[in-house]
Amino acid sequence: MAALAKVGLIGLAVMGENLALNIERNGFPIAVYNRTEAKTKELMATRAKGKNFIPTFTLEAFVAALEPPRKIIILVKAGAPVDALLKQLQPLLSPGDIVIDGGNSLFTDTERREKEYAQADLNFMGMGVSGGEEGALWGPSLMPGGPIVAYQAMEPILTKIAAQVTDGPCVTYIGPGGAGHYVKMVHNGIEYGDMQLIAEAYDLLKNVVGLTPAEIHDVFKSWNQGEELQSFLIEITADIFTYIDPETHQPLVELILDKAGQKGTGKWTSQNALDLGIAIPTINAAIESRIISSFKDQRVAASSVLTGPSHFYTGDKQKFIDSVASALYCAKVCSYAQGMALLAAASSEYKYNLTLTELSRIWKGGCIIRANLLDKIQQAFKHNPLLPNLLVDPEFAQELTTKQEQWREVVATAAKVGVPCTAMSASLGYFDSYRSERLPLNLTQAQRDFFGAHTYERIDKPGSFHTEWNIR
Ligand code: NBP
């Protein structure tokens, strides 16, 4: 009888194929299955040739090829395909088997699926996988959640296939239920924020001080060499500006249509933050910027109707570039502060028992938001696990206070020149609101009481009050 595989993987598209190769390379014989047979055959004839793979062409054969208790990773399109596959798989499994959904599923779907599988004595886990194609192959950041016993059984494999950084593999047990997919969702929300802030920095460099793509490459390259902004996204951004389109001999980035989609994890982050009552204005601005970008035809039409200011920046070019670096850094810290605040709220609302230091640690390698900054975030929560907001960590507070002048200068210049920087200014608004001892919401409360008798509290005495405002 042929030897059984240690682990199985279903779904051989970009993520599944690369993760399967990673698992096998790390010493775990793997059985694979894909709904469309041709994909499995192609993989076996190419990248998996001669490797410890067991190709299977029915779910029955796939399940039979696995060592019990079975460990099955599924990487199929999120949503209905996951439910369809789980339904087909369930009758073929035995109590104690483990199924891990590594796709970008909605955390509430994961909670439901875990309960459904638990009724049949099956372990279902939701695991965030970040790092795209390269990460899946060479070491992603993994965010597994669900039954702890299932995590313990998977740990030897997950710790080997994850990205490795100086303080360990980029994986940890995230928490029960849908915790893994929840954390991946917020990770992606932070990723949206980072990407939008970088796009705004590019826009400012291009449209305020008129840098060419080659010059923008130099700026991003130097930022990536500095301690504050060094990150995967800044690194790839620098590279993007060097790519010349072979057909037109122009920088390819300038030929790309300026329309970006938003769906799934990014949108869910904003929706969930509203549900939990947590302010994430930078991440929301990133999502809304993508929405506005999608109205290309309307924007083109509006550009000849709505005239902007005729103000040009006449200040020092290098000074402005340096200020953009500071603005980008401060805005990015605010974006992470919002993501971390959302995670903390979710941890208590959903009883996930999240450890923010561990989350910062596992994001330091493999994933799209890996950045030097995460080291500092990890330290901040290590020094004070109950930190109410990253902004009040002494080191971040000091940095943002020092850099705020440059940040304000950038946002003010953008407003004067008419270049949108919605996420950078949303971050500044967040910073200013969060540091305000008194906000004008006393007036909001007065209005609410005026038109709806909603009552208000006072600062000088306890209790709930109502006033007949229109009796003069
Ligand atoms: P896709 O999200 O494009 O899904 C394609 C895979 O799903 C194929 O293997 C396809 O099989 C399978 N599939 C579908 Br569609 N419906 C199925 C069904 N009813 N039963 C069984 N299999 C079905 O693949 P991906 O881009 O590799 O992403 C996989 C997951 O990982 C997604 O949830 C994605 O959001 C997430 N993710 C992706 C990335 C990335 O960079 N791409 C990064 C991080 C996370 P077929 O070959 O027969 O059509």
Side-chain angles (χ1 to χ4, degrees):
M1 191 180 133
L4 296 177
K6 293 273 176 213
V7 59
L9 190 143
I10 301 176
L12 296 172
V14 179
M15 293 302 280
E17 172 171 326
N18 284 290
L19 198 71
L21 288 160
N22 176 352
I23 293 170
E24 193 274 345
R25 192 184 63 244
N26 278 290
F28 304 98
I30 187 165
V32 290
Y33 170 83
N34 193 67
R35 181 182 60 175
T36 307
E37 276 190 30
K39 185 82 193 94
T40 313
K41 287 183 177 154
E42 190 199 326
L43 173 65
M44 292 313 299
T46 55
R47 298 173 81 195
K49 198 171 178 181
K51 299 202 165 124
N52 227 334
F53 271 65
I54 304 175
T56 63
F57 299 96
T58 62
L59 280 176
E60 287 77 4
F62 170 78
V63 166
L66 296 171
E67 196 179 276
R70 300 181 183 92
K71 301 175 186 71
I72 300 169
I73 299 174
I74 62 176
L75 270 158
V76 302
K77 207 176 183 63
V82 176
D83 282 317
L85 180 59
L86 291 179
K87 207 169 163 201
Q88 285 176 280
L89 205 50
Q90 187 178 330
L92 309 175
L93 302 176
S94 311
D97 285 353
I98 301 166
V99 176
I100 303 143
D101 173 14
N104 279 337
S105 294
L106 179 61
F107 74 103
T108 46
D109 282 345
T110 305
E111 308 256 347
R112 169 180 55 79
R113 290 166 185 153
E114 191 200 336
K115 288 193 186 101
E116 286 166 4
Y117 259 44
Q119 280 171 4
D121 267 337
L122 298 169
N123 292 300
F124 182 76
M125 302 183 73
M127 177 170 77
V129 178
S130 176
E133 190 174 352
E134 279 284 296
L137 181 59
W138 296 112
S141 176
L142 298 172
M143 294 153 248
I148 181 84
V149 286
Y151 175 75
Q152 284 158 348
M154 287 302 300
E155 197 173 22
I157 301 173
L158 300 182
T159 49
K160 274 226 161 155
I161 63 168
Q164 310 289 325
V165 292
T166 45
D167 50 355
C170 292
V171 60
T172 191
Y173 175 64
I174 302 288
H181 277 147
Y182 186 89
V183 167
K184 174 66 181 353
M185 175 188 82
V186 178
H187 162 287
N188 284 18
I190 294 172
E191 182 181 310
Y192 268 60
D194 261 7
M195 291 172 74
Q196 176 62 23
L197 291 169
I198 292 171
E200 290 176 10
Y202 147 61
D203 204 12
L204 293 163
L205 296 177
K206 180 178 159 186
N207 290 317
V208 175
V209 283
L211 298 196
T212 63
E215 288 169 329
I216 296 173
H217 158 78
D218 291 342
V219 171
F220 275 96
K221 194 171 170 208
S222 75
W223 286 353
N224 196 47
Q225 284 159 353
E227 201 198 307
E228 285 166 356
L229 290 174
Q230 188 287 321
S231 63
F232 170 72
L233 281 170
I234 297 279
E235 182 187 334
I236 64 163
T237 304
D239 290 349
I240 284 169
F241 285 100
T242 61
Y243 193 92
I244 302 298
D245 174 45
E247 255 177 69
T248 60
H249 308 289
Q250 287 178 52
L252 180 61
V253 67
E254 297 302 338
L255 298 170
I256 295 176
L257 184 65
D258 53 334
K259 272 169 87 166
Q262 60 77 39
K263 60 178 173 66
T265 47
K267 183 175 89 178
W268 299 336
T269 307
S270 287
Q271 289 174 329
N272 179 260
L274 286 175
D275 287 343
L276 296 191
I278 299 296
I280 55 162
T282 311
I283 296 169
N284 290 339
I287 288 152
E288 288 176 354
S289 296
R290 291 195 189 194
I291 294 173
I292 293 179
S293 83
S294 70
F295 291 92
K296 175 76 177 176
D297 294 345
Q298 286 189 32
R299 288 189 288 115
V300 170
S303 68
S304 56
V305 179
L306 304 171
T307 316
S310 50
H311 183 88
F312 293 99
Y313 179 75
T314 49
D316 183 81
K317 211 181 204 180
Q318 189 54 48
K319 205 171 149 220
F320 187 76
I321 296 169
D322 293 344
S323 294
V324 173
S326 291
L328 178 55
Y329 179 75
C330 293
K332 193 173 149 123
V333 171
C334 286
S335 179
Y336 277 78
Q338 294 160 28
M340 290 315 214
L342 181 57
L343 288 168
S347 183
S348 109
E349 177 71 19
Y350 306 127
K351 316 264 177 303
Y352 283 158
N353 202 18
L354 303 177
T355 314
L356 299 186
T357 43
E358 270 297 270
L359 299 186
S360 339
R361 182 187 70 75
I362 65 164
W363 290 345
K364 290 201 300 191
C367 68
I368 305 298
I369 63 167
R370 61 186 185 265
N372 227 11
L373 176 66
L374 282 161
D375 229 356
K376 266 197 214 162
I377 296 175
Q378 187 190 3
Q379 292 312 319
F381 286 111
K382 210 180 225 171
H383 290 146
N384 181 4
L386 298 177
L387 196 64
N389 189 295
L390 207 53
L391 297 185
V392 292
D393 165 72
E395 200 177 328
F396 281 121
Q398 164 79 48
E399 280 183 331
L400 266 59
T401 309
T402 312
K403 291 179 186 294
Q404 64 175 304
E405 209 181 308
Q406 289 174 297
W407 185 11
R408 291 182 195 284
E409 175 64 25
V410 168
V411 173
T413 303
K416 274 190 197 156
V417 175
V419 171
C421 65
T422 46
M424 263 184 206
S425 44
S427 281
L428 185 56
Y430 181 75
F431 175 74
D432 280 337
S433 299
Y434 194 73
R435 62 173 196 83
S436 289
E437 192 187 333
R438 188 153 168 88
L439 287 168
L441 284 294
N442 48 329
L443 176 59
T444 309
Q445 290 298 77
Q447 290 166 331
R448 294 178 69 240
D449 189 56
F450 190 120
F451 62 67
H454 289 292
T455 75
Y456 55 87
E457 290 175 283
R458 294 177 60 117
I459 55 173
D460 55 349
K461 52 184 175 185
S464 183
F465 300 89
H466 171 61
T467 298
E468 290 300 320
W469 293 91
N470 52 2
I471 296 171
R472 279 178 271 263

